[in-house]
Amino acid sequence: MMRAGPAPEEIRRHNLGTLLRFVHLRGPASRARLAESLGLNRSTIMALTSDLTAAGLVREELPRGPGRRAGRPSLVVRPESTRVYVLAFDVGVDRLVVARVGLGGVVLDRREAARSRDADPSDLVGTLAAGARSLVRKADRGAVCVGAALAFPGTVRRSDDAIMFGPNLDVGDVHLGDALSRRLGLGIPVSVRNDANLGALAEHERGAGVGCDNLIYLHGDVGVGGGIIVGGRLLGGDEGFGGEIGHMVVNPGGRPCACGARGCLEAEVGERTLLDLAGREAAPGQSGRDAVRGVVDAADRGDIVAREALHRVGNRLGLGVANLVNVFNPGMVVFGGTLRDIYLGSAAQVRSVLATNALAAPRERVKLRTTELGDDTTLVGAAEFAFAEVLADPVQVLTRLRTPEDTPVS
Amino acid sequence: MMRAGPAPEEIRRHNLGTLLRFVHLRGPASRARLAESLGLNRSTIMALTSDLTAAGLVREELPRGPGRRAGRPSLVVRPESTRVYVLAFDVGVDRLVVARVGLGGVVLDRREAARSRDADPSDLVGTLAAGARSLVRKADRGAVCVGAALAFPGTVRRSDDAIMFGPNLDVGDVHLGDALSRRLGLGIPVSVRNDANLGALAEHERGAGVGCDNLIYLHGDVGVGGGIIVGGRLLGGDEGFGGEIGHMVVNPGGRPCACGARGCLEAEVGERTLLDLAGREAAPGQSGRDAVRGVVDAADRGDIVAREALHRVGNRLGLGVANLVNVFNPGMVVFGGTLRDIYLGSAAQVRSVLATNALAAPRERVKLRTTELGDDTTLVGAAEFAFAEVLADPVQVLTRLRTPEDTPVS
């Protein structure tokens, strides 16, 4: 807050990033629209676009399709989606996903593997690296990987990406990113972040929460994670551990939680508790998500035990949401992963508890929504996180990546 | 996030504000120190200082005292504390405070009135306005009031400063700021904000939390309020209602709360509950704060009932703090108002519950502290809030305020 205003060089870098970010998130746009949206004049837009084109990040084309009007058409600026891409990794308890995602957010290609819960954790890096390498081999000649990030269901320290706590997945190696980066051999680091934090980013940038700058994302896998957007930014806290909503106590003295406490949101509304209350367990080979859907479907068909289980879980979830509404005054709460299904099966209960326990002022306008990114919320978040560096300083990053490492750079 | 970089004019305004903010918060500084701290060259600092001097916001002097070194001394830039001031109002349940606070944060003068809990709410505006007018009359000739803000123990909407919920103080008029501004007749608006939100601002800028960008402030009056700093900024949420930590449920089905729910932090650790558990009540004319201190003192002297009351309250407070540590990963939690005394009387209990219920990663480095601003936390916060406009655009605001309203301004 004490910093002086930016120098012209910083402004130019900022403007390059802003323009690239615009077409990355909102799609191809005419120079005229860019000028208007970014509040810059057309000659500045032209200069910025020319630099981005030279770096291979965008291309300019005549507009396609019937929308063309008479007169000299404004050129359309498109992200180079097949030439500039990131690698996104999503580590779930039941499945692993690796995707090659192009600038503009296009999933160009993906590999997915089911994962048995007793799989050897040492296989993890090998499986992810093999999947990624097969994706890279299929990329266009001349394509550049500009970043990589991994979504992990645990607590991750911001300063060095170390996994501090991941009770639902023993990974053996807490520096997963370094190990994966070495195995990939692409010369780019792999960032590791909490999966639900990345999910919040994804919903905010490409999902249900576009335009909503105060948003809470609740993610269910085996555990319950959270990601919080405050004033348009991801809440990380002092060391990046922020957003551990799953360990907010909603029932003091309640069910024991993997973290050692009792009555945490995770322990009260997680997959295991729902299955337990419903008197079910996951069939051999069945994913937790499918088992949860089984309970919700049974309740829909009138199964009393399943209904009662969802009712109880909905009560606790509603209390957690009410606390969050009071503390954050969010515009939206988004449910994803298994919590998408749990919320859909218990929405009436959640809303009823919210009505009793949240203050009227912050409650009145809050929207409760399910993810718009299906099962890919955390994966999309990892891709967006991986794009952050190139969006912050597009030309510099591209120049560096296109320079072979053994060439001396002055 | 989609905005293009600032124009030169904005940068200049930003730099003027940054320099003024520096001397406002950190005290007089030499040009050399300003240049180094703000990352600007000395000729820019000279130009900015010259503009601020012309506007009457700072003055330059030779350094005082024995710290002078040989050679040509660097001029020291000082805020014009007696000429540029704000009015800060603090509405508590038991007392009202009005202060005239000079640039640099100096409390130049103050009026304080005890308030009986059955006082007629319609007196409120009259009492505050009379106090403020007597302060303004005593100001130096040529002094300028650059802002006014009021700390209120309730939920306040950001867009129009309307009080939505203030269960512990019936004010009769929900547009307190407008009414007070009219009564003052100084031609400046009076902003109204939640008292604990302002307390968080105060601790962050001038109290225990200077340098800590992720901070939670918990304030006890009759109710329990909260203010949260995330990434250096006050968390307001979508409409400014954020930070209502007092209505986080820490004991489902517990004591009824003024908000209609049960087991809120406010209901479980507030003044009334502590007195109730300790089998006491405030003596006639005794403030809640003094009654709370009475319980803590009794416990210190070995009173078993008082000890047990603090133990129970400490348990609930610890659970609330643990939830906040998990959700926010703050660097610091600060206790103020009556919670300062309650925390001091139950710190062991709070820390023990924190150890059980917070995750190790965010718990390890969090500091628990009491306010460094005594009983003035919320008052200081109101003053800082009132200074915000002049710090954002110093010269423009001063020029406008020094221009008589009936003079046409081109």
Side-chain angles (χ1 to χ4, degrees):
Chain A
M1 233 183 271
M2 286 297 190
R3 279 198 67 220
E9 193 44 43
E10 287 176 74
I11 295 177
R12 204 164 151 283
R13 194 157 61 227
H14 174 87
N15 285 345
L16 284 167
T18 303
L19 196 161
L20 189 62
R21 190 177 173 79
F22 190 93
V23 297
H24 171 65
L25 290 177
R26 312 235 178 132
S30 69
R31 287 183 185 173
R33 180 161 167 237
L34 288 169
E36 197 188 324
S37 303
L38 306 183
L40 294 168
N41 61 45
R42 289 183 69 162
S43 63
T44 306
I45 295 288
M46 201 153 68
L48 296 170
T49 307
S50 147
D51 285 1
L52 293 173
T53 305
L57 288 155
V58 302
R59 64 181 187 280
E60 293 191 279
E61 294 179 346
L62 287 172
R64 295 173 188 168
R68 276 190 59 180
R69 281 173 297 184
R72 197 171 140 216
S74 182
L75 287 172
V76 166
V77 181
R78 294 179 180 275
E80 284 280 15
S81 299
T82 57
R83 294 180 59 191
V84 179
Y85 70 90
V86 296
L87 291 171
F89 300 88
D90 187 25
V91 174
V93 177
D94 292 320
R95 65 166 199 166
L96 303 176
V97 190
V98 189
R100 200 159 61 79
V101 181
L103 195 62
V106 192
V107 176
L108 299 166
D109 201 356
R110 64 192 287 158
R111 298 283 180 276
E112 199 166 322
R115 194 160 177 281
S116 106
R117 293 194 181 180
D118 45 12
D120 182 350
S122 72
D123 290 350
L124 186 61
V125 170
T127 310
L128 294 170
R133 276 197 305 258
S134 89
L135 293 176
V136 170
R137 274 196 301 272
K138 288 183 63 189
D140 288 0
R141 206 181 128 82
V144 189
C145 178
V146 296
L150 181 147
F152 188 83
T155 304
V156 182
R157 185 163 57 199
R158 190 198 295 126
S159 57
D160 62 355
D161 290 17
I163 294 164
M164 309 302 286
F165 178 62
N168 297 303
L169 194 69
D170 175 9
V171 284
D173 179 355
V174 292
H175 281 90
L176 197 54
D178 291 350
L180 185 52
S181 176
R182 277 194 303 274
R183 277 285 197 109
L184 283 172
L186 295 171
I188 51 164
V190 179
S191 303
V192 179
R193 286 294 179 275
N194 171 271
D195 57 351
N197 274 216
L198 293 174
L201 205 63
E203 290 298 332
H204 178 242
E205 299 200 334
R206 299 195 178 273
V210 169
C212 175
D213 275 350
N214 296 287
L215 172 152
I216 293 175
Y217 175 66
L218 279 164
H219 184 73
D221 189 355
V222 172
V224 169
I228 302 164
I229 303 285
V230 172
R233 291 172 187 208
L234 186 63
L235 182 154
D238 243 31
E239 296 169 86
F241 306 135
E244 285 288 357
I245 299 169
H247 299 286
M248 178 169 69
V249 173
V250 292
N251 184 23
R255 290 176 175 254
C257 181
C259 74
R262 284 180 167 272
C264 294
L265 189 66
E266 168 166 321
E268 298 287 330
V269 312
E271 170 198 317
R272 287 185 187 119
T273 300
L274 180 69
L275 294 176
D276 182 32
L277 289 170
R280 288 161 175 253
E281 50 186 54
Q286 188 186 34
S287 75
R289 198 164 291 191
D290 287 340
V292 165
R293 280 179 189 149
V295 177
V296 176
D297 290 345
D300 279 347
R301 289 191 310 267
D303 181 315
I304 300 291
V305 179
R307 277 197 182 178
E308 179 57 25
L310 275 168
H311 184 91
R312 285 186 58 180
V313 162
N315 269 337
R316 303 296 186 201
L317 183 58
L319 191 65
V321 172
N323 284 347
L324 295 170
V325 165
N326 286 338
V327 171
F328 287 97
N329 182 205
M332 187 180 289
V333 179
V334 183
F335 301 91
T338 53
L339 279 179
R340 177 182 175 279
D341 303 291
I342 289 173
Y343 172 70
L344 290 174
S346 65
Q349 203 54 32
V350 171
R351 287 178 184 278
S352 144
V353 176
L354 188 64
T356 321
N357 285 278
L359 298 173
R363 187 186 69 229
E364 268 167 13
R365 296 205 191 168
V366 67
K367 297 186 180 80
L368 306 189
R369 294 280 184 273
T370 54
T371 173
E372 287 187 0
L373 301 165
D375 287 349
D376 280 346
T377 316
T378 50
L379 181 77
V380 169
E384 288 308 313
F385 193 84
F387 275 118
E389 202 193 350
V390 76
L391 295 174
D393 192 357
V395 171
Q396 197 271 335
V397 169
L398 253 278
T399 308
R400 175 168 54 78
L401 288 170
R402 283 187 189 276
T403 307
E405 283 182 42
D406 49 354
T407 308
V409 180
S410 66
Chain B
M1 236 185 267
M2 286 299 189
R3 280 198 67 222
E9 193 45 42
E10 286 175 75
I11 295 178
R12 204 164 149 284
R13 194 157 59 227
H14 174 85
N15 286 346
L16 283 168
T18 303
L19 197 161
L20 189 61
R21 190 177 174 79
F22 190 92
V23 296
H24 171 64
L25 289 178
R26 312 235 179 131
S30 69
R31 287 184 185 172
R33 181 165 166 232
L34 288 168
E36 196 188 324
S37 303
L38 307 182
L40 294 168
N41 61 46
R42 290 183 69 161
S43 63
T44 306
I45 294 289
M46 201 153 68
L48 295 171
T49 308
S50 148
D51 285 1
L52 293 174
T53 305
L57 288 156
V58 302
R59 66 180 185 281
E60 292 190 278
E61 294 178 345
L62 287 173
R64 295 172 189 168
R68 274 191 62 181
R69 280 174 299 183
R72 196 171 140 216
S74 181
L75 287 172
V76 166
V77 181
R78 295 179 178 275
E80 284 279 16
S81 298
T82 56
R83 295 180 59 192
V84 179
Y85 70 90
V86 296
L87 290 170
F89 299 88
D90 187 26
V91 174
V93 177
D94 292 319
R95 66 166 199 166
L96 304 176
V97 189
V98 190
R100 200 161 61 80
V101 180
L103 194 63
V106 193
V107 177
L108 299 165
D109 201 355
R110 63 191 290 159
R111 297 282 180 279
E112 199 167 323
R115 194 160 175 281
S116 104
R117 291 195 182 179
D118 45 12
D120 181 348
S122 72
D123 290 348
L124 186 61
V125 170
T127 310
L128 294 171
R133 276 197 304 259
S134 88
L135 293 177
V136 170
R137 274 195 300 273
K138 287 182 61 188
D140 288 358
R141 207 180 126 81
V144 189
C145 178
V146 296
L150 182 146
F152 188 82
T155 305
V156 183
R157 185 162 57 198
R158 191 198 295 126
S159 58
D160 63 355
D161 290 15
I163 294 163
M164 310 302 286
F165 178 63
N168 297 304
L169 194 69
D170 175 9
V171 284
D173 179 354
V174 292
H175 281 90
L176 196 54
D178 290 350
L180 185 52
S181 175
R182 277 195 302 273
R183 275 289 194 106
L184 283 174
L186 296 172
I188 51 164
V190 179
S191 303
V192 179
R193 287 295 180 272
N194 172 270
D195 58 351
N197 274 216
L198 293 174
L201 205 63
E203 290 298 332
H204 178 241
E205 300 199 335
R206 298 194 178 273
V210 169
C212 175
D213 275 351
N214 296 286
L215 172 151
I216 294 176
Y217 175 67
L218 279 164
H219 184 75
D221 190 357
V222 172
V224 170
I228 302 163
I229 304 285
V230 171
R233 290 169 186 211
L234 186 64
L235 182 155
D238 243 33
E239 296 168 87
F241 305 136
E244 284 289 357
I245 298 168
H247 300 286
M248 179 169 69
V249 173
V250 292
N251 184 24
R255 288 176 177 253
C257 181
C259 75
R262 283 180 168 271
C264 295
L265 189 65
E266 168 166 320
E268 298 287 329
V269 313
E271 169 198 319
R272 287 185 188 119
T273 300
L274 179 69
L275 294 178
D276 182 31
L277 289 169
R280 289 160 174 252
E281 50 185 51
Q286 188 186 33
S287 75
R289 199 165 291 192
D290 288 339
V292 165
R293 280 178 189 149
V295 177
V296 175
D297 290 345
D300 280 346
R301 289 191 311 266
D303 180 315
I304 300 290
V305 180
R307 278 196 181 179
E308 179 58 25
L310 276 168
H311 184 91
R312 286 186 58 179
V313 162
N315 269 336
R316 304 296 185 202
L317 183 57
L319 192 66
V321 171
N323 284 345
L324 295 170
V325 166
N326 287 337
V327 171
F328 287 97
N329 182 204
M332 188 180 287
V333 179
V334 183
F335 301 91
T338 53
L339 279 179
R340 177 182 175 280
D341 303 290
I342 290 174
Y343 171 71
L344 290 174
S346 65
Q349 204 53 34
V350 171
R351 287 177 185 276
S352 147
V353 177
L354 188 65
T356 321
N357 285 278
L359 299 174
R363 187 186 67 228
E364 268 168 13
R365 295 207 193 166
V366 68
K367 296 185 181 79
L368 307 188
R369 293 280 184 275
T370 54
T371 174
E372 288 188 358
L373 301 165
D375 287 348
D376 280 347
T377 316
T378 51
L379 180 77
V380 170
E384 288 308 312
F385 193 84
F387 275 117
E389 201 191 352
V390 75
L391 294 175
D393 192 357
V395 172
Q396 196 272 333
V397 168
L398 252 279
T399 308
R400 175 168 54 78
L401 288 170
R402 284 188 188 276
T403 307
E405 283 181 45
D406 49 355
T407 309
V409 181
S410 66

